[in-house]
Each structure stands twice: as C-alpha cells, then as structure tokens.
C-alpha cells in the first residue's frame, strides 16, 4: 500500500479523493498544494493533509503516488516541473475528464512509464474543497486510461487501490474515454447551458419564463450551475470530440424538427418512445453528473405543515439537505420538494412520512 500521496489541486475532486483515502487508511500521509491557501488550511484542520501551508514542488519527491487534480491545462503545466523530481518509485495520475491532450503532454515530457490516466465518474455542480466528501466516489466507476508503458505490477497496484477506496476501475483507451465522456457529460453540460441561455434570451420584459421555470426545466438544467472555468477548459481540451458529437446531436434535433414539421405522428411518438425505453434502462449507480436524492410531498396550504414534516424527519434522526415549495407542478404532484443527502436517508424519510399519512411522489 502507498505510504505517502501528494495532491496538486484540492478542490471538490481532489478534496474528495483525499478525504476518502484518509477515511480508509489513517496511516497514509497526504500532502497537497492548491491555489487556495484556505483550502490547504481547512484540509489540515480536518486532519486530512499533514501540511498547513504551501511548499516547493520538490516535496513531492518522497511521494509514491501524485494526483493531478487541477484543471487539465494547469495539470499539463506542472508536468515539466514534475519531470525534474520524478523517480521510478513514483506514479503520476490525474482525474481530468479529458485524456487525449493530457496523454500527449505526458508523451512530450517523456513521462509515459510513470503516468496512469484516471477519471472518477462522479461529480457535482458544486465546487471547492468545502463541498468535498468522503463518499463522492463510492460505487462509482473509475475510468483508467492505460498507455501500456507503465509496469504491469504498478498498474495492478493502482487498480487494487482504487477498488479499496470503494470505486469500480474500468480501463479504456484515451480516445475511447474522451468520446464516452464527451457524449454523457460534456454535451449534456453544453445543452443545459445553451437551453438556459435560450430561455434567458427569449424571455419577456416581465421575466415570465424565469418566474415559472421549475419542475422539468430546473431538473434538466441543474448542471448549468457548474464551474464556467472548468467547462471552458473541457471544451478547449476535448474540442475535436465535442465538435463531432455536436454535429451528431444537431442531427437528432433535426429528426425531431422534421417529424414535427411534417406532422408525422408515428415518427414523433417513436422518437419519444425510443428515448424513454433507453432512459429507463440506465442503471441507478453514480455517474459524472451528481445524483439528487429528492422526493415530493403532497401538502395542504396550512400553517405549520412544513414545520410538522421537518419535525417528523428530525425525530427520526434525518437531516434535510434542501426543501422548497413547488409552484410549477408540471411533472410531479407533490407541492413540497425535499432533498436528502443520500439514498438511505431519502427512502427512510419517505417511509416516515408515509407512516404519518402523507402522500409521497418520487
């Protein structure tokens, strides 16, 4: 097992990996550098890392595993510096959602035999160390891109380590990785942001669209709240794959447009039916887009009803992550939306409220 692990970048992903490792391996020493000194000091106070300040890159020489957890472009900028201190005992890995450009930079710096590409398939629209958690990657796929230059023993050791912290390692080539993540993560984020911009740019002077935007609209555009800087990086580093996929997506939109324009009722229904069947076949495990553990409660407009529900859940030892009245009930019948921190809490909350006579929709 690794004895000392270093982190370059300690935001949501780096912080979550560090917390996960520390929760399972108390004796592994973790060190980190980050642009935010506040994040470093918070992680030190949490007992996650052993340094309370920044330090020179040479300190990573004593690590056996170094995580590159900054944006892809910044990770690439660190490679020449790491090249100066690398030894045969060190493995470099990253967590970026784009691999092609990173792999090429690794080749350019002659670091192939030290590098294993990594990408935990979990995330959130929230950012920063303060939002990191030791459960973010549990039972999530962890994509590994193997360049066939790393010693097989070291690769297997790394995969075993990933399994030991609760994730599910899955090997892909860098090109496969970028096409897959481009399809299920990058394009959806672009679509969500473009849809929000579409509504914003077509709203009236009374902001009626923004006022009534809830239900399905808020659900499918939630990821548009993600870090603009991170998605700027992703679009620039996975440019070719994204452009290819956007062309294919435009073809899908044109299929809908053509069917609606020609009033082809059979085609319209078929397009929606195919989407429904494929969507319903997707598993419920963790993915690149963060899971939301929410349900809806049918309530009457009575004084104290929300306080009563909160009391029921509090007495059951359950903490509410978010709660709000639904004014647009387009896709659910419950007037109160409740979000919990995890799946167990969600189902326990549903059972508690049902036992108290409330109607639940999930």
């Amino acid at each position: 097992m690794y004895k000392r692990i270093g982190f370059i970048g300690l935001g949501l992903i780096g912080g979550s990996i560090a917390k996960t490792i520390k929760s399972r391996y108390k004796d592994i020493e973790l060190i980190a550098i980050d642009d935010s000194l506040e994040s470093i000091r918070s992680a030190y106070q949490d007992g996650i890392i052993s340094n309370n300040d920044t330090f020179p890159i040479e300190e990573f020489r004593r690590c056996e595993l170094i995580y590159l957890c900054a944006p892809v472009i910044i990770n690439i900028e660190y490679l020449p510096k790491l090249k100066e201190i690398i030894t045969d005992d060190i493995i470099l890995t990253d967590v970026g959602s784009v691999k092609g450009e990173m792999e090429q930079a690794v080749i350019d710096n002659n670091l192939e035999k030290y590098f294993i590409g990594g990408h935990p398939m979990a995330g959130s629209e929230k950012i920063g160390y303060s939002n990191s958690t030791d459960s973010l990657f549990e039972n999530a796929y962890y994509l590994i891109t193997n360049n066939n230059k790393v010693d097989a023993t070291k690769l297997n050791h790394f995969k075993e380590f990933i399994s030991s912290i609760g994730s599910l390692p899955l090997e892909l080539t860098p090109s496969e990785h970028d096409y897959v993540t481009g399809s299920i993560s990058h394009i959806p984020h672009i679509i969500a942001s473009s849809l929000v911009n579409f509504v914003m740019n077509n709203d009236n002077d009374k902001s009626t669209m923004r006022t009534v935007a809830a239900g399905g609209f808020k659900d499918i555009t939630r990821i548009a709240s993600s870090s603009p800087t991170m998605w700027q990086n992703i679009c620039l580093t996975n440019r070719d794959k994204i452009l290819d996929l956007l062309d294919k997506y435009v073809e899908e939109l044109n299929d809908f447009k053509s069917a609606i324009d020609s009033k082809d009722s059979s085609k319209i229904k078929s397009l929606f039916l195919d989407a429904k069947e494929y969507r319903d076949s997707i598993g419920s495990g963790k993915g690149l887009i963060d899971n939301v553990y929410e349900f809806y409660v049918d309530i009457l407009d009575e004084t104290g009803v929300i306080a009563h529900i909160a009391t029921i859940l509090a007495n059951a030892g359950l903490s509410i992550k978010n709660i709000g009245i639904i004014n647009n009930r387009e896709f659910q019948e419950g007037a109160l939306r409740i979000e919990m921190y995890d799946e167990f809490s969600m189902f326990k909350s549903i059972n508690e409220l049902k036992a108290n006579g409330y109607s639940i929709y999930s």
Side-chain angles (χ1 to χ4, degrees):
M1 192 53 60
Y2 304 112
K3 295 180 180 178
R4 196 172 198 249
I5 298 175
F7 288 83
I8 295 175
L10 205 65
L12 174 73
I13 302 299
S16 294
I17 293 175
K19 287 180 177 180
T20 302
I21 292 172
K22 206 64 179 177
S23 70
R24 297 184 181 232
Y25 296 105
K26 306 295 184 186
D27 295 334
I28 294 181
E29 182 188 4
L30 307 181
I31 62 172
I33 57 175
D34 190 271
D35 287 343
S36 169
L37 188 56
E38 180 183 353
S39 294
I40 294 296
R41 291 181 174 166
S42 293
Y44 175 79
Q45 291 169 1
D46 290 344
I48 304 300
I49 61 176
S50 61
N51 60 291
N52 193 27
D53 209 334
T54 190
F55 51 76
I57 196 74
E58 286 77 18
E59 285 294 315
F60 284 104
R61 192 188 301 274
R62 296 191 294 114
C63 293
E64 298 152 291
L65 179 63
I66 299 175
Y67 272 97
L68 294 160
C69 299
V72 176
I73 293 173
I74 296 176
N75 286 340
I76 289 173
E77 291 174 354
Y78 267 99
L79 293 180
K81 303 173 187 177
L82 291 168
K83 182 180 178 179
E84 297 299 317
I85 66 162
I86 202 81
T87 70
D88 286 340
D89 296 327
I90 296 176
I91 284 294
L92 299 177
T93 189
D94 73 332
V95 296
S97 66
V98 180
K99 288 290 174 260
E101 192 164 331
M102 185 67 184
E103 293 276 355
Q104 186 58 52
V106 167
I107 293 171
D108 293 342
N109 283 276
N110 297 313
L111 291 169
E112 296 160 274
K113 72 174 185 177
Y114 307 101
F115 183 77
I116 300 172
H119 182 196
M121 294 283 284
S124 171
E125 71 273 17
K126 297 178 181 178
I127 60 175
Y129 175 81
S130 61
N131 290 302
S132 61
T133 169
D134 63 6
S135 61
L136 185 63
F137 309 118
E138 190 165 349
N139 295 319
Y141 282 109
Y142 197 112
L143 303 185
I144 293 173
T145 53
N146 175 18
N147 58 25
N148 296 314
K149 301 291 184 180
V150 175
D151 179 78
T153 301
K154 290 183 178 180
L155 177 62
N156 289 332
H157 186 193
F158 181 73
K159 290 166 64 177
E160 289 169 3
F161 180 68
I162 294 304
S163 295
S164 76
I165 61 173
S167 294
L168 308 170
L170 178 65
E171 284 191 54
L172 296 173
T173 68
S175 180
E176 286 174 332
H177 171 277
D178 287 356
Y179 196 81
V180 168
T181 56
S183 299
I184 65 173
S185 176
H186 306 168
I187 295 300
H189 277 83
I190 291 170
I191 292 170
S193 295
S194 65
L195 182 55
V196 172
N197 289 339
F198 168 78
V199 170
M200 176 182 67
N201 293 329
N202 287 277
D203 206 352
N204 59 29
D205 56 4
K206 297 179 181 177
S207 297
T208 303
M209 292 185 187
R210 182 171 61 183
T211 300
V212 302
F217 182 81
K218 289 193 73 175
D219 286 343
I220 64 175
T221 60
R222 175 173 56 88
I223 54 178
S225 295
S226 299
S227 164
T229 300
M230 179 182 74
W231 284 102
Q232 176 195 49
N233 265 273
I234 287 171
C235 286
L236 292 175
T237 53
N238 200 26
R239 177 178 174 274
D240 291 344
K241 293 287 194 301
I242 287 174
L243 289 174
D244 179 40
L245 290 163
L246 279 174
D247 285 340
K248 289 182 169 64
Y249 180 69
V250 169
E251 290 177 12
E252 295 289 341
L253 283 179
N254 282 332
D255 280 347
F256 272 96
K257 182 180 178 182
S258 176
I260 295 169
D261 183 50
S262 62
K263 298 181 182 180
D264 188 340
S265 60
S266 177
K267 178 66 173 178
I268 294 171
K269 183 175 181 179
S270 176
L271 289 168
F272 282 111
L273 181 61
D274 289 347
K276 172 179 167 48
E277 290 178 346
Y278 189 79
R279 171 63 174 78
D280 291 347
S281 74
I282 296 174
S284 59
K286 288 187 176 181
L288 281 167
I289 299 172
D290 197 25
N291 289 338
V292 177
Y293 304 102
E294 65 182 9
F295 60 93
Y296 300 86
V297 187
D298 204 12
I299 58 172
L300 298 176
D301 186 9
E302 296 177 343
T303 302
V305 65
I306 296 178
H308 182 238
I309 288 173
T311 300
I312 291 171
L313 299 183
N315 288 340
L318 296 161
S319 297
I320 298 172
K321 183 177 182 180
N322 206 345
I323 189 169
I325 297 291
I326 302 298
N327 300 112
N328 181 334
R329 296 172 71 174
E330 178 184 5
F331 291 111
Q332 63 276 329
E333 298 186 41
L336 185 69
R337 173 187 175 272
I338 299 178
E339 182 183 352
M340 307 303 290
Y341 284 94
D342 53 54
E343 187 176 39
F344 173 81
S345 298
M346 179 183 69
F347 285 119
K348 186 175 180 182
S349 299
I350 289 172
N351 291 334
E352 290 288 339
L353 293 176
K354 281 183 176 179
N356 280 272
Y358 286 98
S359 296
I360 307 296
Y361 303 91
S362 60

